[in-house]
């Protein structure tokens, strides 16, 4: 589910995802005696986690972690590590929570526990604004050329659910973005986080816009991103789940989302 708010200074609404069931009201666990909480993150994956102008870590995941700590009245620190070392550092008790774009899946759950998803990276289309193409659908894609990155879940999804489209695989995202700008393809289908960053950036030169979707089928695109903790830190996991729900209800989630996603992936 997503809600739409007017974009600041724009006519297009900004879609804000909602991952919390209003019928489920989480309870705040007893946090008496909970130690200082050490969050681990990486600083090379904007806008979720990256180094700010002052060199300190920031980003949607990082600021959401700080907001959760404030909501729980906990003392927290943010430590930056290389992305591929985050889970091992958590397992070795060099930190307490991973706040980074680590996908929740069966392999992760074998080793760790996670809060519910606070973010997902759906798939979407983009198209040139000046083409006035129809919104993608099974019928609308008939005879259209859709650029995808070869060997990805997006290509597999397109093959399964877009049988009337002509798929054209490319080696990487810059290559297929260039093809879209050059009108060599009609649509580009890929992960919406990367597409939103490109559409809103200088390189795209306001050529293109997101259209269709979002597509969130977990079998192809994963279960999302949550705060990851050790399995024996159940109180901390429950506390973070509670905090995330409260941040959504109180509008803090929306405030941070609008700050870091001027072009919404949703």
């Amino acid at each position: 589910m997503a809600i739409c708010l007017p974009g600041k200074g724009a006519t297009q609404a900004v879609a804000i995802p909602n991952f919390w069931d209003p019928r489920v009201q989480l309870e705040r666990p007893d946090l008496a005696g909970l130690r200082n909480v050490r969050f681990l993150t990486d600083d090379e994956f904007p806008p979720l986690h990256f180094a700010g102008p002052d060199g300190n870590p920031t980003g949607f995941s990082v600021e959401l972690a700080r907001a959760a700590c404030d909501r729980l009245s906990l003392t927290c620190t943010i430590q930056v590590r290389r992305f591929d070392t985050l889970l091992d550092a958590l397992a070795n008790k060099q930190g307490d929570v991973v706040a980074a774009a680590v996908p929740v899946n069966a392999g992760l759950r074998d080793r760790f526990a996670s809060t519910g998803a606070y973010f997902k990276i759906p798939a979407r289309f983009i198209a040139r604004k000046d083409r006035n193409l129809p919104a993608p659908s099974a019928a609308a894609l008939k005879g259209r050329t859709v650029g995808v990155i070869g060997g990805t879940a997006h290509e597999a999804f397109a093959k399964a659910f877009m049988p009337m489209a002509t798929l054209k695989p490319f080696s990487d995202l810059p290559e297929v973005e260039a093809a879209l700008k050059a009108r060599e393809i009609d649509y580009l289908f890929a992960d919406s986080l990367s597409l939103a960053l490109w559409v809103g950036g200088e390189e795209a030169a306001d050529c293109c816009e997101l259209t269709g979707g979002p597509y969130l089928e977990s079998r192809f695109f994963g279960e999302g991103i949550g705060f990851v903790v050790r399995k024996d830190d159940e109180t901390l996991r429950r506390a973070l789940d509670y905090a995330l729900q409260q941040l959504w209800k109180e509008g803090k989630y929306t405030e941070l989302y609008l700050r870091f996603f001027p072009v919404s992936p949703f």
Side-chain angles (χ1 to χ4, degrees), residues 40 85-98 111-112 228-232:
L40 303 173
T85 69
L86 291 173
L87 292 179
D88 285 342
L90 179 65
N92 294 331
K93 298 188 176 182
Q94 296 168 9
D96 305 302
V97 188
V98 169
R111 297 181 64 196
F112 303 100
V228 182
V229 301
R230 290 182 294 277
K231 285 187 174 182
D232 58 2

Side-chain angles (χ1 to χ4, degrees), residues 1 18-27 245 248-249:
M1 176 180 173
N18 176 10
F19 304 113
W20 294 274
D21 187 340
R23 298 168 298 180
V24 179
Q25 299 301 312
L26 302 178
E27 295 185 2
Q245 186 181 60
W248 166 258
K249 290 169 61 177

